[in-house]
Amino acid sequence: MNLIEERVARAREGTNPFVIARMASGWLVIGDVQPLPGYCLLLADPVVPSLNHLDAQERLIFLNDMAVVGDALLNVTGCARVNYEIWGNAEPALHAHIMPRYDSEPTDKRHRPACMGYSWPDSPKSSGDDCGALVSKLRQALADIQSSKED
């Protein structure tokens, strides 16, 4: 079982402490570390190897969920933009990295992918009051987005 499969299984069981919300296409989780505040991942459920293993409707749902998370991050963090990355090279299961980007970042980092500009081992862990407050705000923002769709 790879890390994504393990995290999805734990989310289903209610034992994944990083879960922010259940989305239509899977699970939104806060990153284990926060190279930039608000870094999240969308884990597909059911687990599939890649975006190409979803049918057309499932792809639309996954990509829409990514964008909705981006909307919530824009609202909650005040970031300037959101970057979306789907790799799957190290963990061959569909998951998207959703990274808020800030105007306040140093120029040499702001113009590079976050995975290349920041030291992930030195990044703050996703625990403590700051992260808990961010997760609560993201949950509320996602609920607000969902309720505005229903109106």
Side-chain angles (χ1 to χ4, degrees):
M1 182 178 295
N2 68 43
L3 181 61
I4 303 304
E5 292 169 321
E6 177 189 318
R7 296 288 173 96
V8 168
R10 290 186 66 201
R12 289 175 187 156
E13 296 166 356
T15 61
N16 183 334
F18 298 102
V19 168
I20 297 171
R22 177 68 161 110
M23 307 291 291
S25 65
W27 298 93
L28 177 64
V29 297
I30 195 78
D32 293 14
V33 296
Q34 294 290 289
L36 291 163
Y39 165 59
C40 299
L41 296 96
L42 179 60
L43 313 177
D45 188 3
V47 176
V48 295
S50 73
L51 188 64
N52 302 95
H53 287 82
L54 299 177
D55 67 31
Q57 184 61 31
E58 292 166 329
R59 290 177 187 187
L60 289 173
I61 293 168
F62 187 84
L63 295 171
N64 184 67
D65 280 351
M66 284 175 45
V68 167
V69 171
D71 291 338
L73 285 166
L74 287 163
N75 290 336
V76 167
T77 67
C79 62
R81 66 176 299 114
V82 178
N83 290 168
Y84 307 89
E85 300 177 24
I86 299 175
W87 292 6
N89 299 335
E91 298 295 336
L94 178 58
H95 63 286
H97 299 263
I98 307 172
M99 181 71 71
R101 301 305 300 259
Y102 300 89
D103 288 336
S104 60
E105 293 176 60
T107 303
D108 64 322
K109 294 183 180 196
R110 188 174 56 236
H111 296 283
R112 302 180 72 193
C115 65
M116 299 170 117
Y118 291 88
S119 171
W120 291 60
D122 296 330
S123 295
K125 303 282 186 237
S126 294
S127 58
D129 294 339
D130 289 345
C131 199
L134 176 63
V135 166
S136 293
K137 289 177 184 177
L138 284 170
R139 285 182 179 139
Q140 185 59 56
L142 290 167
D144 292 346
I145 290 167
Q146 182 60 36
S147 69
S148 71
K149 284 183 185 178
E150 295 170 358
D151 292 342

